Amino acid sequence: MAEGNHDGSSDWCTIESDPGVFTSLIESFGVRNVEVTELWSLDDDSLASLVRPMDGVDDASVHGLIFLFKWQKEGTGAAANNNNNNNSNSNATAEDDATPETGTGTAPLTGDDVPPNLFFAHQVVTNACATQAILSVLFNAPRSIPHPESDDDTTNANTNVNAAIDDHSGRHLLLGPLLTSFRAFSRHFPPSLLGEAIGSSEEIRAAHNSFGRADDAFLHDPTSRRRRDRREGEDEDVFHFVAFVPHGEDGCLYELDGLKAGPVRVGRYRDGGDGAENRNSQTESNSAYAKETLTWLHLAKTAIQTRLSHYPPAEIKFNLLAVTQDRRTYLSSHLDSLVAMGLEESDPAMLHVREELLAEENKRELWQVENERRRWNYLPFCVELLRSLAGSGKLEELVEGVRGRVREREERKKKNHVRE
């Protein structure tokens, strides 16, 4: 596939499609009140649980979906939309000639047909599709609060932001100064220039690359004939990320793929043309939001299932992530309401919520540990350990011990098979 034409395109690493990685990456942008959760099923209960995650919470925010799939060239089924197989990012760019299947049968919108204020960027740098899918969700989220630009009174500005977030019980995401500044700077850019702006942002690229795996040079040694012959003799699977986002201004769901000419309108989830101003006001109907969210989630479900139908039944290399409200926000809000009701700390309802909050904190700590392990290159340690064992004469003994245990297991299996 074609490489990105941006000078820094090769500086973007591949990252893993994992809720902990994506949540931490979003938070490294300075975004608050957001977490990423993995969807294992597209059934109605799984979709409903995003909006109604617990008793007493029936309008949790769902900002968008990010879908990872094995890219196929339309009409041929050949892999063409490069993503490194690590559940990672596309090496293809928007300048490639191939056009991927949309899963909806709808042509991308271009020019004046693109809705105003819909963020859409072409992918013009290698391996950037994961971050671009994340940015597509964050910049198009109907429930979002830009960071106030206030150099004169930063304390007062942060106080206003915190008050706004508290008023919505964490339902609104806070973009933070980095993304707020980037969006204001690039608001009127065309898609190709937006892609260049993303690739040129040192802050965004550094945050992205901080979640890449460390590689050892000899694993990718182009002079190795055996490795080169193996690569040339195999068709490498290539993967790609796209985003499904609701657009509050026209009530439509869009598929945003940086390799396409423009956004794809999947369908309408709201009748009429209510503006985002009305939908984001304090008088917004929570039940209406929940109903609209479930409607666009089902539209996305249909589009994803249509795309899946283009693959063999045995194909399982897909991943679906939902960008949602941080669970800790509505758990904390629910806990505050129980305290206001005068419940004792020993009350079962209080204990349950506190246990849920503790589980969320433990989950974040585990994500942090896993992310540190992802960044660490263990290969030199493994190589040095093998060298030390070989130098001390223990390696051969250990290898023979393992082989002996394998032979014993095989013999036990044979005996059990004969008895049956």
Coordinates of all heavy atoms in Angstrom, one line a residue, residues 3 9 25 28 36 51 65 99 121 123 143 194 198-199 232 234 261 264 269 304 307 310 322 337 350 367 373 391:
E3 N 2.5 4.6 1.1 CA 2.8 5.3 2.4 C 2.3 6.7 2.4 O 2.0 7.3 1.4 CB 4.3 5.3 2.6 CG 5.0 3.9 2.7 CD 4.6 3.2 4.0 OE1 4.4 3.9 5.0 OE2 4.4 2.0 3.9
S9 N 5.1 11.0 8.5 CA 4.2 9.8 8.5 C 4.8 8.6 9.2 O 4.1 7.8 9.9 CB 3.6 9.5 7.2 OG 4.7 9.1 6.3
L25 N -5.1 7.0 26.2 CA -4.7 7.9 25.1 C -5.6 9.1 25.1 O -5.1 10.3 25.0 CB -4.8 7.2 23.8 CG -4.5 8.0 22.5 CD1 -3.1 8.7 22.6 CD2 -4.6 7.2 21.3
S28 N -4.7 11.3 27.9 CA -3.4 12.0 27.7 C -3.6 13.2 26.8 O -2.7 14.1 26.8 CB -2.4 11.0 27.0 OG -2.7 10.7 25.7
V36 N -13.4 4.2 27.4 CA -13.7 3.4 26.2 C -14.0 2.0 26.8 O -13.3 1.4 27.6 CB -12.5 3.3 25.3 CG1 -12.8 2.4 24.1 CG2 -12.2 4.7 24.8
V51 N -26.4 2.8 27.5 CA -27.2 3.9 27.9 C -27.7 3.8 29.3 O -27.8 4.8 30.1 CB -28.4 4.2 26.9 CG1 -29.2 5.4 27.3 CG2 -27.8 4.3 25.5
L65 N -18.9 5.2 18.3 CA -18.3 3.9 18.2 C -17.1 3.9 17.4 O -17.0 4.7 16.4 CB -19.3 2.9 17.6 CG -20.7 2.7 18.4 CD1 -21.6 1.8 17.6 CD2 -20.5 2.2 19.8
T99 N -11.0 2.2 -3.0 CA -12.1 2.8 -2.2 C -12.7 1.6 -1.4 O -13.3 0.7 -2.0 CB -13.2 3.4 -3.1 OG1 -12.6 4.5 -3.8 CG2 -14.3 4.0 -2.2
A121 N -11.6 14.3 8.8 CA -10.3 14.5 8.3 C -9.8 13.3 7.4 O -10.2 12.2 7.8 CB -9.3 14.7 9.5
Q123 N -7.0 10.7 6.2 CA -5.8 10.2 6.7 C -4.7 10.3 5.7 O -4.7 9.7 4.7 CB -6.0 8.7 7.1 CG -4.8 8.1 7.8 CD -4.9 6.6 8.0 OE1 -6.0 6.1 8.1 NE2 -3.7 6.0 8.1
R143 N -22.5 15.9 23.4 CA -22.4 16.3 24.8 C -20.9 16.5 25.0 O -20.1 15.7 25.5 CB -22.9 15.2 25.7 CG -24.4 15.1 25.8 CD -24.8 14.0 26.8 NE -26.2 14.1 27.1 CZ -26.8 13.2 28.0 NH1 -26.2 12.2 28.5 NH2 -28.1 13.4 28.3
L194 N -6.9 19.1 7.3 CA -7.1 18.6 8.6 C -6.2 17.4 8.9 O -5.7 17.3 10.0 CB -8.6 18.2 8.8 CG -9.5 19.3 9.5 CD1 -10.9 18.7 9.6 CD2 -9.0 19.7 10.8
I198 N -3.3 17.2 11.8 CA -3.2 16.1 12.8 C -1.8 15.5 12.7 O -1.1 15.3 13.8 CB -4.2 15.0 12.6 CG1 -5.6 15.5 12.8 CG2 -4.0 13.8 13.4 CD1 -6.8 14.6 12.5
G199 N -1.3 15.2 11.5 CA 0.0 14.6 11.4 C 1.1 15.6 11.8 O 2.2 15.1 12.3
E232 N 7.4 -11.9 1.7 CA 7.0 -11.9 0.3 C 6.1 -13.0 -0.1 O 5.3 -12.9 -1.0 CB 8.3 -11.9 -0.5 CG 9.1 -10.6 -0.4 CD 10.4 -10.7 -1.2 OE1 10.7 -11.8 -1.7 OE2 11.1 -9.7 -1.2
E234 N 3.8 -14.4 1.9 CA 2.5 -14.4 2.6 C 1.7 -13.1 2.3 O 2.3 -12.0 2.1 CB 2.8 -14.5 4.1 CG 3.4 -15.8 4.5 CD 3.7 -15.8 6.0 OE1 3.5 -14.8 6.7 OE2 4.1 -16.9 6.5
A261 N -13.4 9.7 0.6 CA -13.5 11.1 0.1 C -14.2 12.0 1.1 O -13.9 13.2 1.1 CB -14.1 11.2 -1.3
V264 N -19.8 9.4 5.4 CA -21.0 8.6 4.8 C -22.2 8.7 5.8 O -22.0 8.4 7.0 CB -20.6 7.1 4.7 CG1 -21.8 6.3 4.2 CG2 -19.4 7.0 3.7
Y269 N -31.5 9.5 12.9 CA -31.9 9.0 14.2 C -32.9 9.9 14.9 O -33.5 9.6 15.9 CB -30.8 8.7 15.1 CG -29.9 9.9 15.6 CD1 -30.3 10.6 16.7 CD2 -28.8 10.2 14.9 CE1 -29.5 11.7 17.1 CE2 -28.0 11.3 15.2 CZ -28.4 12.1 16.3 OH -27.6 13.1 16.7
I304 N -22.7 -2.0 10.6 CA -21.6 -2.9 10.9 C -21.9 -4.4 10.5 O -21.1 -5.1 9.9 CB -21.3 -2.9 12.4 CG1 -20.7 -1.5 12.8 CG2 -20.4 -4.0 12.8 CD1 -20.6 -1.3 14.3
R307 N -21.4 -4.7 6.8 CA -20.0 -4.8 6.5 C -19.5 -6.3 6.8 O -18.8 -6.9 6.1 CB -19.2 -3.8 7.3 CG -17.7 -3.8 6.8 CD -16.9 -2.9 7.8 NE -17.2 -1.5 7.7 CZ -16.8 -0.7 6.8 NH1 -16.0 -1.2 5.8 NH2 -17.1 0.6 6.8
H310 N -19.8 -9.2 4.4 CA -18.9 -9.2 3.2 C -17.8 -10.2 3.5 O -16.9 -10.4 2.6 CB -18.4 -7.8 2.9 CG -19.5 -6.9 2.5 ND1 -19.4 -5.5 2.6 CD2 -20.7 -7.1 1.9 CE1 -20.5 -4.9 2.2 NE2 -21.3 -5.8 1.7
A322 N -16.8 1.3 22.3 CA -17.7 2.4 22.5 C -17.0 3.5 23.3 O -16.4 3.2 24.4 CB -19.0 1.9 23.2
S337 N -26.3 11.0 45.9 CA -27.8 11.0 46.0 C -28.2 10.1 47.2 O -29.2 10.4 47.9 CB -28.5 10.6 44.8 OG -28.2 9.2 44.4
M350 N -25.5 1.5 49.7 CA -24.3 2.3 49.8 C -23.1 1.4 49.5 O -22.1 1.7 48.8 CB -24.2 2.9 51.1 CG -25.2 4.0 51.4 SD -24.7 5.6 50.6 CE -23.4 6.1 51.7
W367 N -5.1 -1.0 34.1 CA -4.8 -0.5 32.8 C -3.5 0.2 32.8 O -2.7 0.1 31.8 CB -5.9 0.6 32.4 CG -7.2 0.0 31.9 CD1 -7.4 -1.4 31.6 CD2 -8.4 0.6 31.6 NE1 -8.7 -1.5 31.1 CE2 -9.3 -0.3 31.2 CE3 -8.8 2.0 31.8 CZ2 -10.6 0.0 30.8 CZ3 -10.1 2.3 31.4 CH2 -11.0 1.3 31.0
R373 N 3.6 -2.2 30.7 CA 4.2 -3.4 30.1 C 4.2 -3.4 28.6 O 5.1 -3.9 28.0 CB 3.4 -4.6 30.6 CG 3.6 -4.9 32.1 CD 2.6 -6.0 32.6 NE 2.9 -6.3 34.0 CZ 2.1 -7.1 34.7 NH1 1.0 -7.6 34.2 NH2 2.4 -7.3 36.0
G391 N 25.5 -20.2 28.7 CA 26.9 -20.0 29.2 C 27.2 -20.8 30.5 O 28.3 -21.3 30.7

